[in-house]
Amino acid sequence: MTGKDPRDENEAGRDPAADSDLSARLKRLETQIDRKRPPAAPDPSSRSGRADQPSPLGQAMRLSTEFVAGVLAGGLLGWGCDRLLGTKPWGLIVLLVLGFAAGIYNVMRVSGFFRVTDTKNDGTGT
């Protein structure tokens, strides 16, 4: 163990032409690898490919808002009907149940549970 690395002796007598040949071979290899490598898949964290779809958090917020809005609207309308018509508590109960049903319907509609049908004529004559 003399402290000398055998690579140090080889580097001192290295031919510069061999270095340029090695660099050229490495560049050729890189271009061949780049040609054969399949294109990279888009990053799932980027939103550029999904501009038309909301994020899962955004969709959850919209669904919960649709439901709460239906229940609140039914409750407020029921309370208002009871105050105006004097039908306490039946207006509140009935319209609260209807608001609950409307909230569930809105959540199902927004989430895509119901299939959207096209009512336009498709040109088949049927």
Side-chain angles (χ1 to χ4, degrees):
M1 303 242 300
T2 62
K4 289 182 118 186
D5 191 2
R7 289 180 281 178
D8 291 339
E9 294 172 7
N10 292 340
E11 287 180 11
R14 187 176 273 181
D15 183 20
D19 285 343
S20 65
D21 182 43
L22 180 62
S23 295
R25 286 177 36 203
L26 282 172
K27 286 189 189 254
R28 274 188 312 193
L29 181 62
E30 285 177 9
T31 57
Q32 288 175 356
I33 289 173
D34 286 340
R35 276 190 238 138
K36 293 187 180 195
R37 181 177 294 152
D43 185 16
S45 65
S46 71
R47 301 232 346 135
S48 61
R50 300 177 3 160
D52 60 335
Q53 296 177 354
S55 69
L57 178 63
Q59 190 173 12
M61 293 297 288
R62 179 169 181 199
L63 293 175
S64 61
T65 302
E66 291 282 346
F67 179 72
V68 169
V71 173
L72 283 177
L76 288 174
L77 286 173
W79 179 77
C81 285
D82 281 342
R83 299 265 308 178
L84 289 175
L85 303 174
T87 57
K88 208 178 237 180
W90 295 108
L92 178 64
I93 292 171
V94 170
L95 288 176
L96 192 62
V97 170
L98 287 176
F100 183 79
I104 290 175
Y105 174 76
N106 283 339
V107 167
M108 292 171 73
R109 182 182 49 84
V110 169
S111 68
F113 183 78
F114 294 123
R115 190 172 174 181
V116 177
T117 58
D118 190 10
T119 58
K120 294 179 185 175
N121 188 2
D122 60 357
T124 59
T126 56

